[in-house]
Amino acid sequence: MSASPGSVAEIQALIRSAAAAGTPLIPVGRRSWPGAGGWAPKEGRALDTTPLKRIRHYEPADLTITADAGIGLDELDAGLAENGQWLPIDSPGAGSGTLGAAAATGGFGPLRQRYGATRDNVLGLEVVTGDGRLLRLGGRVVKNVAGYDLVRVFVGSRGSLGVITRVSMRLFPRPEEDRTLIYRVRAERALAMATALRRGHLPVAAVVLGSGGMEGGGGRAATLAARILGGGRGAREITGRVVAALGADPDEALRDEASRRFHDRHRQWEDDARLMVRLRALPDRLDEVVAIAQPVAAAVAGEIAADARNGVVRVKTPAAPAGRDEVVAALAGARGRVEALGGSLALDDAAGELGRRVGWVGRGGGAGGIVRRIKSLFDPHGVLAPRCPE
Amino acid sequence: MIQQSLVRELRAICGSYGVLDDPDALLVYESDALTAYRHRPAAVVLPRTTRETRESVAAIARHGLPIVPRGAGTGLSGGAVALNDAIVVGTARMNRILGIDAPNRRAVLQPGVINAELSVAARRHGLYYAPDPSSQTTCTIGGNVAENSGGPHCLKYGVTSRYVTGLEVVLPDGEVIRIGGQGRDAPGYDLVGLFVGSEGCFGIATEIEVSLLPVPESVRTLLAIFDRIEDAGRAVSEIMSAGMLPAAMEIIDGATIRAVEDSVFAAGYPTDAEAALVIEFDGLEAGLKGDAERARRRCLATGAREVRTAQDEAERAALWKGRKKAFGAMGRIAPDLLVQDATVPRTALPSVLRGISRISARHDLVVANVFHAGDGNLHPNILFDRRDAEELERVERASKEIMRLCVDAGGTITGEHGVGLDKKHHMTLIYGPDELNAMWGIRRVFDPGETMNPGKVLPDETQPVAAAVPA
Amino acid sequence: MAGPGRVRQSRPSATASQPAATDPASSLARALREQEEGLLNCVHCGFCLPACPTYRRLGDEADSPRGRLHLMRAVVEGRLEPGAEAYQRHIGRCLGCRACEPVCPSGVAYGHLLELARRVGNEAKPPSLVTRIILATFGSRWAWRPLLAGARLLRALGLPALAARRPRSGANARGPRLALAMLAASARVRSLPESPPDEVPSPTTPTTNAGRTAADSPSPTDGPDNRPTVAILTGCVQAGLFGRVNAATRRVLEANGYRVVPVGAQGCCGALHAHAGELDSARELARRNVAAFEAAGADYLAMNASGCGAAMREYGSLFSQDDPDAPRAAALAERVRDLSELLVVRGPRPGGSIHLAATSDAPCHLLHAQGVADAPERVLRAIPGLRLLPLQGASECCGGAGIYGLTQPELGGMIGGDKVRNILESGAAAVVTGNPGCMMQIGAGLRLAGSSVVVLHPAELLDESYRRGGLYDGQGR
């Protein structure tokens, strides 16, 4: 059962009555975004934000846009492209997802090093909190330090503090050229190449690894894809340097539309997942994190992909694994090892029983009291997603 | 007057050089770089470590006294001014770089490290720290965290918030928490993002992890001279909408040009010009030439009288000189200066600039504009002499009118200097009761007793009577 | 520009009639009030903080230039008594190194304001007996000549060197021990700590002038009548303890085509007095020197002590505008040059090889007060075989600062200690600096640290190079 309020006032009313009735609400967009483990309530009524989908303010020369939360990123992108601009959100679930969900999940994809994470580019939010108040936070200018930065708390809070109804974003010029150099090599070689690119301080926009060879053994090739964005001369120059730094010509060189499609596919890699495990550590520990992820992949018969620049390694399996003891042990072991590196391991909602047994996100940061007080400040009746990692 | 028992306690924690309580010497701490606000603190404590900070804060909290954190005192919003006999906890002696992790492009520092000195240290690894407030040779990273500082090159690279990835914080009751760290990617609320820009109201950051960037391989700088400041504003909009992303775009207006050229820092800008626009591109050499040429043509098309291009590092420094020295040079033309910091959408620049000059004419005041044009971040400097009470009143009125003009144009009251004392009464121009209530609430989440930098950021009259805070 | 003019007019007159000068507070106020415009130039931006050695050590803004200016302004505004302990302490702790001046975007004349502030402070509360004795001594040739002669004798007996070598006998001994170590450090270096060419640490900056031959340089015999003339300030401490530096100065100038003319009846430049706020004494000394050097009539006044150079370059502003001697003092000041500046104009000529790993420390009163940055190093590059090693913190004060080591032993020790540590870390066997105070401070610090690194004046080193290169052959030495 879901509600589809047609205005902000209706959302406020809906939240107030849910608070009175004590029934949880789960704000949703197009449901393309993978849930982060354990945030969503087990049961509750979906609050559909997609009916609100107007562009409220767009002045291309300002390089900012303000739109309702329910608009799809794909719809937005079409309008921005006409003006040679874009919103470089490439976290899993982007593309077909909504603007509101992009802000609420606050993730990042391989382009973060170049453009910042979503949270860095959200300029302002309109949000209805768990007690039905409408807050207009931040603004639509690119620099703004007026008051405490509440925008940052709501971005990435996954609907646990409020329902985001409108978002102002910073935009970027669309790169003139989009190139991707693809190398199909053994996993160890792919990791060594990623290290060489990182050490060389080359202005590569993204470096991703994947396509079925990262699990090690089996003789399948992994793919290293280096994405280069920029003006014509600059892009050619970087391409030349990447090839020189890696000491080999790419197996494939994609340009423009083909390059974009490649990265769309990489982003959508998670879409058919029944279980996602995300491991993160500092980028120079990537080899170790991949090694930690391999036994997990083996235990769940999953595949591995990595975002080399951001130190993210993902394990996905399209088949739902049961909460078998050996899977639980593999996950718990991997978490211990990645946390020993200073990193983290998180499961998404689909992990279900596994998530409850292993724990969704691992150890907290020691600011539990503050997290709880923020939660009850904005959602005093616990109407919205009741849990949040501490 | 501060209790001697507390002074003794603090001396035992921080050593004899670490506690200052001579009221005469404390005059020095009565203001930050915005001298319009002056309140002498009851004492100053200068801890050297997290432990000394934690113990000092706890001791002061036990005595129920308010605390004001202070870095180098270069803020321009009165944020480091000690109201209500507060005790200043300064970070000047916590100035060590604890480590630079070059492979992961990050550094861990104590809060008193000077912004520019971090970049100097990182340079050995081919890295630098991107946010570059104009006071970067003296302001501290801790202060940057508190204010979420910007700077000329934030146009391309973003502000402090994007670069802070972890914090160790001493909370107002002396508890120490760690948020973020090893990147800022752990699941959960973005407490680091919330803390950055909290203007010393949530606690004192005692350890800061930041991310660094590779030093750009090449830099190209242009200086365009205009006879009308609106034309310079238009050039900025056109360059941005043409798909270029300069590292910085800064405008210096005629009044400022003349102040600088009158000073020992004369930069060779023509004194009859009404605006100078500094444009900088950085990145790979291969791409820069084309960008610079396109920008040059745009400037000429929008009415630039001439465009100069720096050919080497010395010339580049010369083109920047007028911009970098502008604030100090104002000291030569008036004893006091009110620096404003409003941000407007870039496309509103020409009309807002016209409005500011109308307002200053109406109040018979001199306003000199120096600003981060690419970001739409204006710095109208109202020149005055605070010994002239009548003039001071006109300054106040003009200041409020300029603020309203910027807000009406879709902007905000502060882009990088913070609210502090100076702009807290303007907060109601942009926020309603619910937003202000939420801010009061979040402040109490960190500081239930309201002892950390009280009287700043939020207008006192908006304080909710019943505590909106949960246990 | 109309605007600023209007703002200025709105200012209450800064020189309105003041109460009689007998009241120390009002006298202070008067002195500083004359400089109120100068104080107001400070916009409180804080750019000076990191440049200040005392702020860097203590972290206390009252010990920063901005803080001290704030205290001065508080006195002018009648909010602070100049006799107050805070004023005395923080104005007293200033090294007077003036590292804050080049970084000040408003161009505040800090050094000048400090002298006034010290005078005002002294009127409210006389300086310590030690300070007064030192200043009185240097105020009169008849006092400092015998004193320094005695000091030379003591130095010759080797007692100071012995005392400086003795292990620390407790904190109380620091003052006298430092004084003795400084005296020991003023002695001539008997043999240069040279190393065989291949063992000299690898150069970071290649010696550049070394490849040139004497034929490339201006010849010392371009015709005696055309040679520019130079008068050397022989100074007080310089004459008393560093006679060899004065002699070397004369020789290297002559070797570079200058004609050195004698100056009769010159004396102490008055820098120590001015820095301590004894402006009347400083003016008297300045008047005597103006007369003496005018009579000498040289094209340039050569300074081999940068403290003196800075003082003489500022003779013009030492006198009030209505003083009849002010224009003469200003005209004389125009002709003042540091020795290194005069040498760089002529090359300087390269000399014979000295295989020495050296590092160069910039005297504050050369770098900050006179704005002479690279001339000393360019002089040293004329010496073949010399390897110039970089010195961390070379532009920071050594803590000598006139009589600072004696008046502020603890802080002076901290600042001096850092300088010594940086010198030791540079790997140099010799440190070169062009100011006697710095030579003694650094030398004393090195001795007390048990180091064998020697301290040299650039003139001494160039002189030795010229001697080895045979540039003096046939010229009487």
Side-chain angles (χ1 to χ4, degrees):
Chain A
M1 186 182 64
S2 90
S4 298
S7 69
V8 171
E10 281 180 44
I11 292 176
Q12 290 180 275
L14 200 66
I15 287 182
R16 289 205 181 98
S17 64
T23 48
L25 286 171
I26 308 170
V28 296
R30 292 178 178 174
R31 299 173 189 257
S32 74
W33 236 278
W39 285 54
K42 263 182 288 183
E43 50 202 58
R45 188 174 181 206
L47 191 159
D48 175 14
T49 56
T50 56
L52 300 177
K53 52 186 296 184
R54 277 178 54 195
I55 291 176
R56 299 287 170 167
H57 193 278
Y58 176 42
E59 179 66 61
D62 285 338
L63 268 91
T64 62
I65 192 163
T66 302
D68 289 341
I71 194 167
L73 291 174
D74 45 5
E75 295 169 83
L76 264 183
D77 193 58
L80 297 176
E82 286 171 22
N83 290 295
Q85 298 178 346
W86 76 327
L87 196 52
I89 297 179
D90 65 338
S91 43
S96 58
T98 64
L99 178 63
T105 50
F108 61 86
L111 288 175
R112 177 171 73 164
Q113 290 284 335
R114 171 70 174 268
Y115 292 101
T118 304
R119 66 168 178 239
D120 299 315
N121 296 318
V122 176
L123 304 174
L125 289 177
E126 191 182 82
V127 61
V128 179
T129 56
D131 53 0
R133 285 176 296 170
L134 176 67
L135 304 180
R136 292 191 176 90
L137 304 169
R140 59 182 173 89
V141 287
V142 291
K143 269 165 87 180
N144 186 354
V145 293
Y148 307 126
D149 200 352
L150 295 180
V151 169
R152 255 23 76 189
V153 184
F154 284 94
V155 173
S157 66
R158 292 183 175 262
S160 68
L161 301 176
V163 180
I164 293 169
T165 55
R166 195 177 289 183
V167 185
S168 292
M169 296 290 302
R170 177 184 180 177
L171 303 173
F172 290 84
R174 218 175 183 83
E176 280 169 43
E177 289 202 15
D178 191 330
R179 301 181 175 207
T180 298
L181 306 182
I182 293 176
Y183 292 86
R184 295 200 180 81
V185 290
R186 284 178 301 111
E188 307 80 70
R189 172 83 183 117
L191 286 166
M193 288 173 127
T195 303
L197 289 176
R198 181 167 47 74
R199 293 217 177 118
H201 290 335
L202 289 172
V204 179
V207 178
V208 296
L209 305 163
S211 286
M214 292 301 293
E215 300 75 35
R220 286 164 76 198
T223 297
L224 174 134
R227 189 176 194 183
I228 294 153
L229 301 172
R233 287 193 60 191
R236 273 198 301 282
E237 171 77 20
I238 301 168
T239 304
R241 291 200 207 178
V242 169
V243 171
L246 299 182
D249 283 322
D251 293 297
E252 206 178 335
L254 307 176
R255 294 282 294 268
D256 301 326
E257 195 48 41
S259 175
R260 273 190 290 278
R261 272 203 310 273
F262 175 88
H263 293 283
D264 284 346
R265 276 198 307 277
H266 182 82
R267 196 188 61 228
Q268 292 157 356
W269 180 74
E270 295 195 358
D271 288 1
D272 62 351
R274 298 298 299 278
L275 169 70
M276 281 303 309
V277 183
R278 276 164 228 282
L279 298 95
R280 289 174 185 154
L282 290 170
D284 75 332
R285 310 312 279 274
L286 190 71
D287 302 32
E288 292 159 81
V289 179
V290 167
I292 291 169
Q294 283 171 344
V296 175
V300 299
E303 287 178 26
I304 292 176
D307 168 357
R309 280 296 166 93
N310 294 303
V312 177
V313 175
R314 294 177 291 166
V315 180
K316 109 172 160 174
T317 166
R324 284 173 297 139
D325 291 344
E326 55 269 36
V327 176
V328 171
L331 286 169
R335 173 172 284 151
R337 289 163 68 200
V338 77
E339 285 185 351
L341 299 180
S344 66
L345 180 152
L347 303 175
D348 73 7
D349 293 333
E353 176 61 20
L354 261 182
R356 274 181 289 279
R357 287 183 63 185
V358 182
W360 303 102
V361 296
R363 70 166 171 224
I370 285 176
V371 168
R372 282 189 298 275
R373 290 200 293 265
I374 291 175
K375 168 72 176 164
S376 52
L377 173 67
F378 292 113
D379 183 23
H381 315 294
V383 181
L384 302 166
R387 271 191 304 251
C388 50
E390 290 175 358
Chain B
M1 204 71 202
I2 180 172
Q3 292 161 334
Q4 281 310 302
S5 62
L6 176 57
V7 171
R8 276 195 302 276
E9 231 178 303
L10 293 172
R11 285 231 159 86
I13 297 165
C14 298
S16 60
Y17 278 116
V19 183
L20 318 168
D21 68 331
D22 176 342
D24 289 334
L26 291 170
L27 274 175
V28 164
Y29 290 88
E30 68 184 351
S31 70
D32 54 19
L34 182 68
T35 52
Y37 299 93
R38 303 171 165 220
H39 294 270
R40 195 186 329 205
V44 173
V45 189
L46 302 170
R48 286 163 292 200
T49 60
T50 300
R51 185 188 62 78
E52 289 183 6
T53 310
R54 167 170 55 81
E55 292 179 2
S56 300
V57 167
I60 298 166
R62 275 197 301 277
H63 282 76
L65 292 173
I67 290 173
V68 178
R70 183 176 176 108
T74 57
L76 288 165
S77 60
V81 170
L83 301 176
N84 316 324
D85 280 334
I87 293 181
V88 165
V89 176
T91 59
R93 298 203 298 169
M94 299 179 78
N95 54 6
R96 282 182 306 129
I97 296 174
L98 301 173
I100 293 180
D101 173 10
N104 294 305
R105 296 179 189 169
R106 73 190 179 114
V108 179
L109 340 148
Q110 286 192 307
V113 170
I114 292 170
N115 176 304
E117 293 184 356
L118 170 59
S119 283
V120 169
R123 218 185 165 87
R124 263 178 275 134
H125 308 281
L127 301 169
Y128 78 114
Y129 180 65
D132 60 340
S134 297
S135 57
Q136 72 175 139
T137 54
T138 183
C139 65
T140 64
I141 299 287
N144 293 170
V145 167
E147 302 297 320
N148 192 10
S149 303
H153 292 84
C154 290
L155 171 58
K156 178 171 177 182
Y157 293 105
V159 295
T160 301
S161 171
R162 178 167 163 187
Y163 295 91
V164 178
T165 54
L167 293 169
E168 177 191 75
V169 173
V170 174
L171 294 174
D173 59 359
E175 188 195 340
V176 180
I177 58 168
R178 282 186 167 271
I179 50 183
Q182 298 219 352
R184 190 167 131 195
D185 301 336
Y189 297 148
D190 182 11
L191 297 181
V192 172
L194 178 60
F195 188 90
V196 174
S198 59
E199 302 199 24
C201 297
F202 294 178
I204 300 173
T206 46
E207 208 176 289
I208 300 166
E209 180 188 296
V210 297
S211 62
L212 305 170
L213 293 182
V215 175
E217 189 175 287
S218 215
V219 178
R220 199 60 62 95
T221 306
L222 296 87
L223 175 72
I225 304 293
F226 291 84
D227 292 322
R228 286 163 17 116
I229 193 166
E230 296 96 302
D231 292 343
R234 264 190 317 123
V236 168
S237 275
E238 295 214 359
I239 287 167
M240 292 297 283
S241 45
M244 288 174 259
L245 184 52
M249 279 203 281
E250 303 280 308
I251 291 180
I252 303 107
D253 78 353
T256 313
I257 290 173
R258 290 182 280 277
V260 171
E261 293 303 318
D262 266 358
S263 77
V264 288
F265 303 107
Y269 294 7
T271 51
D272 61 337
E274 279 313 312
L277 168 62
V278 179
I279 306 169
E280 188 155 287
F281 292 96
D282 66 11
L284 289 190
E285 178 61 28
L288 292 186
K289 206 174 158 195
D291 278 345
E293 180 52 27
R294 281 163 72 202
R296 193 182 71 86
R297 273 187 269 120
R298 294 269 165 175
C299 288
L300 291 173
T302 49
R305 178 209 290 191
E306 59 162 311
V307 182
R308 303 178 194 169
T309 312
Q311 302 297 336
D312 57 34
E313 189 51 40
E315 288 182 24
R316 178 181 169 238
L319 295 190
W320 269 106
K321 199 171 176 186
R323 169 64 185 90
K324 300 247 175 182
K325 299 294 183 183
F327 178 64
M330 306 272 178
R332 299 177 164 266
I333 51 178
D336 292 289
L337 183 65
L338 191 103
V339 194
Q340 289 200 318
D341 179 40
T343 306
V344 298
R346 211 172 280 119
T347 47
L349 276 177
S351 67
V352 168
L353 289 168
R354 268 196 307 277
I356 290 174
S357 79
R358 272 199 302 272
I359 292 169
S360 58
R362 189 161 63 246
H363 292 285
D364 191 22
L365 290 166
V366 178
V367 179
N369 289 288
V370 196
F371 54 97
H372 310 303
D375 292 323
N377 187 185
L378 292 160
H379 290 318
N381 295 279
I382 308 180
L383 306 177
F384 66 105
D385 186 332
R386 77 184 131 88
R387 293 169 297 185
D388 180 344
E390 185 272 335
E391 187 179 49
L392 194 59
E393 266 174 45
R394 282 183 282 129
V395 169
E396 299 269 315
R397 282 199 300 276
S399 164
K400 185 126 193 170
E401 282 176 38
I402 291 174
M403 210 75 97
R404 183 169 289 283
L405 173 76
C406 294
V407 170
D408 289 347
T412 187
I413 58 171
T414 172
E416 58 183 9
H417 294 170
V419 176
L421 264 184
D422 187 45
K423 297 174 204 80
K424 68 174 181 168
H425 297 293
H426 301 309
M427 285 284 278
T428 50
L429 288 176
I430 47 170
Y431 293 119
D434 282 337
E435 287 81 13
L436 291 169
N437 250 333
M439 288 188 193
W440 278 109
I442 207 82
R443 176 183 194 145
R444 289 170 183 173
V445 161
F446 287 88
D447 182 18
E450 283 178 42
T451 55
M452 206 49 119
N453 212 2
K456 307 290 168 59
V457 183
L458 302 174
D460 310 307
E461 65 277 11
T462 63
Q463 184 162 12
V465 189
V469 190
Chain C
M1 198 165 90
R6 193 197 52 70
V7 171
R8 266 192 199 291
Q9 279 160 21
S10 74
R11 207 179 266 171
S13 168
T15 47
S17 66
Q18 298 303 316
T22 44
D23 168 20
S26 72
S27 158
L28 152 74
R30 203 159 37 82
L32 281 174
R33 208 177 288 269
E34 282 170 16
Q35 286 301 318
E36 191 177 13
E37 300 288 311
L39 284 171
L40 289 175
N41 274 355
C42 174
V43 294
H44 228 251
C45 66
F47 279 38
C48 52
L49 268 54
C52 178
T54 57
Y55 176 74
R56 297 269 347 196
R57 300 300 181 300
L58 301 175
D60 179 359
E61 289 185 35
D63 282 313
S64 75
R66 176 175 76 177
R68 294 184 178 114
L69 290 167
H70 202 78
L71 293 175
M72 294 177 207
R73 202 161 160 180
V75 166
V76 171
E77 291 165 352
R79 299 197 293 154
L80 179 63
E81 290 298 321
E85 200 192 322
Y87 184 85
Q88 296 281 334
R89 182 173 55 234
H90 298 295
I91 299 293
R93 274 187 195 159
C94 179
L95 290 152
C97 74
R98 298 167 66 176
C100 47
E101 288 189 27
V103 298
C104 175
S106 300
V108 172
Y110 180 84
H112 188 56
L113 289 165
L114 177 72
E115 289 172 1
L116 288 169
R118 290 223 158 120
R119 185 180 105 185
V120 162
N122 291 350
E123 280 173 29
K125 201 174 167 198
S128 74
L129 188 64
V130 176
T131 307
R132 276 180 292 155
I133 291 173
I134 292 171
L135 294 178
T137 303
F138 289 104
S140 155
R141 271 183 290 171
W142 311 118
W144 61 253
R145 278 189 177 159
L147 179 86
L148 291 177
R152 275 199 304 276
L153 185 65
L154 191 64
R155 188 175 72 184
L157 293 174
L159 290 177
L162 210 62
R165 254 201 309 275
R166 263 185 37 214
R168 245 187 119 110
S169 53
N172 294 348
R174 187 176 157 79
R177 213 164 142 258
L178 177 68
L180 286 173
M182 285 172 77
L183 185 56
S186 70
R188 173 193 296 277
V189 172
R190 282 184 221 280
S191 69
L192 291 175
E194 290 186 74
S195 16
D198 50 345
E199 286 177 23
V200 172
S202 66
T204 46
T205 42
T207 49
T208 51
N209 304 26
R212 294 172 30 178
T213 64
D216 301 331
S217 325
S219 156
T221 53
D222 336 10
D225 295 334
N226 298 336
R227 282 187 294 161
T229 53
V230 181
I232 300 171
L233 175 80
T234 49
C236 44
V237 174
Q238 198 80 333
L241 297 176
F242 292 88
R244 63 182 189 280
V245 172
N246 281 342
T249 301
R250 183 178 51 75
R251 285 191 295 270
V252 298
L253 282 170
E254 295 270 3
N256 280 284
Y258 292 97
R259 187 158 64 87
V260 175
V261 299
V263 188
Q266 59 163 306
C268 171
C269 67
L272 287 181
H273 305 78
H275 299 158
E278 300 292 328
L279 294 177
D280 293 335
S281 315
R283 273 192 280 270
E284 281 321 302
L285 291 166
R287 272 185 236 280
R288 197 171 59 201
N289 277 336
V290 169
F293 281 92
E294 272 179 347
D299 297 328
Y300 300 109
L301 275 62
M303 301 289 136
N304 58 16
S306 42
C308 309
M312 289 192 73
R313 274 193 157 147
E314 287 163 8
Y315 268 4
S317 57
L318 188 59
F319 297 93
S320 64
Q321 306 232 322
D322 48 357
D323 191 307
D325 286 337
R328 290 170 59 204
L332 188 79
E334 287 295 308
R335 284 152 48 199
V336 174
R337 298 286 184 282
D338 188 70
L339 169 65
S340 62
E341 292 176 281
L342 291 171
L343 291 173
V344 161
V345 170
R346 315 288 287 194
R349 296 174 73 196
S353 293
I354 300 178
H355 293 287
L356 186 64
T359 193
S360 172
D361 189 57
C364 296
H365 282 86
L366 190 59
L367 179 64
H368 305 308
Q370 301 185 58
V372 176
D374 54 357
E377 292 203 1
R378 286 170 63 192
V379 167
L380 296 178
R381 292 211 182 101
I383 302 173
L386 189 83
R387 296 281 181 267
L388 260 185
L389 302 171
L391 176 62
Q392 183 84 23
S395 61
E396 202 187 42
C397 185
C398 62
I403 52 174
Y404 195 84
L406 303 176
T407 56
Q408 302 284 342
E410 189 181 358
L411 201 47
M414 274 191 227
I415 295 166
D418 289 346
K419 180 64 78 184
V420 166
R421 198 162 26 258
N422 286 330
I423 290 169
L424 297 179
E425 281 171 9
S426 76
V431 53
V432 186
T433 189
N435 191 44
C438 308
M439 291 174 73
M440 286 161 66
Q441 162 81 5
I442 293 173
L446 286 166
R447 267 164 196 273
L448 293 174
S451 161
S452 59
V453 173
V454 300
V455 186
L456 298 162
H457 192 285
E460 278 182 283
L461 205 51
L462 189 64
D463 185 47
E464 172 63 15
S465 168
Y466 283 3
R467 193 188 58 76
R468 291 187 188 186
L471 272 74
Y472 300 142
D473 292 353
Q475 288 178 30
R477 176 193 152 147

